[in-house]
Amino acid sequence: MIRFDGVSVRYDGATRDTLRGVDLEIPDGEFCLVVGPTGAGKSTLLGLVNGHVPHFTGGTVTGRVRVDGRDTRQSRPRDLADVVGVVVQDPRRGFVTDRVDDELAYTMESLALPPEVMRRRVEDTVDLLGLAEFRHRPLATLSGGQQQRVAIGAALTAHPSVLVLDEPTSALDPAAAEEVLAALHRLVHDVGITVLLAEHRLERVVGDVDAVILVQPDGHVWHGPPGPVMDIS
Ligand code: ADP
Ligand code: ADP
């Protein structure tokens, strides 16, 4: 479970809070769409979940964010890889290796897993995301949609309980975006992890999700069933 207790964020130099007194409880297995106008604080909310905020962004955070009981500010983001997996907008900016199979194995390295466990997880991930035909190829030779599927796979090999995706299709053409959302749809149903997804293609995903988080420009956050958001958008 993800819990926010009275969380406010103020970036350095800002004159008001980006997030303000946020209380949230996101149950295990929830597929949650994060929406709100540009600049409202969607990335900030997602970044709090894996400790990216304030670790890499600076700013003052009050209150507490816990994932599976772990305070995300007490760990370095990479030490949270087995709790929260992250997929960013442009997959190339998240890659740390040059090849598909190396990238899938990399996230597990800090977890000190036995080699046979790592091999099995790579196999499972290749199957789950349909990566078999290019698993030995350099990442640079893949299409944007294929690269983003690898990025999702790399996050999943650490077996996190939460997957955070911050606009994973915004850097892709419509066909590649569709490919990524279809893969996400399948894995939500097959893997059953908690998913927080910020996504502009609302009409494509709103039928799939269990809940919506609306981040408002004043920093307040609403969390509820997906119905009402259709009226707002
Ligand atoms: P969204 O994802 O909804 O577009 P963000 O969370 O990226 O919104 O940003 C919310 C507000 O916080 C914006 O006004 C943005 O300029 C500001 N902001 C984001 N990151 C930083 C940072 N590292 N330092 C200062 N201000 C930031
Ligand atoms: P943008 O700057 O437009 O939001 P991205 O979403 O691709 O573009 O993020 C830019 C960089 O910020 C990425 O290379 C990534 O490493 C880092 N980043 C952003 N959000 C997070 C997060 N929640 N956790 C870890 N890294 C993040």
Side-chain angles (χ1 to χ4, degrees), residues 43 46-48 50 52 56 77 86 88-91 93-94 164 166:
S43 292
L46 296 179
L48 285 165
N50 75 317
H52 186 76
F56 294 115
V86 177
V88 296
Q89 217 177 73
D90 181 349
R93 292 176 65 175
V164 166
D166 195 349

Side-chain angles (χ1 to χ4, degrees), residues 101-118:
D101 39 12
D102 292 339
E103 191 63 29
L104 293 176
Y106 172 81
T107 336
M108 292 183 287
E109 260 165 33
S110 62
L111 303 178
L113 298 168
E116 66 276 15
V117 173
M118 291 179 55

Side-chain angles (χ1 to χ4, degrees), residues 11 18 37-44 57:
Y11 286 113
T18 291
T38 302
K42 299 180 296 296
S43 292
T44 301
T57 60

Side-chain angles (χ1 to χ4, degrees), residues 150-209:
V150 174
I152 294 171
L156 290 178
T157 54
H159 285 192
S161 53
V162 176
L163 182 64
V164 166
L165 304 103
D166 195 349
E167 313 221 331
T169 70
S170 297
L172 305 178
D173 64 53
E178 175 56 34
E179 169 189 339
V180 169
L181 292 174
L184 189 60
H185 174 87
R186 281 194 306 276
L187 82 88
V188 162
H189 293 94
D190 291 357
V191 182
I193 60 175
T194 310
V195 176
L196 289 183
L197 170 69
E199 172 61 49
H200 277 129
R201 294 164 211 263
L202 289 187
E203 65 297 339
R204 173 60 180 75
V205 289
V206 83
D208 281 346
V209 301

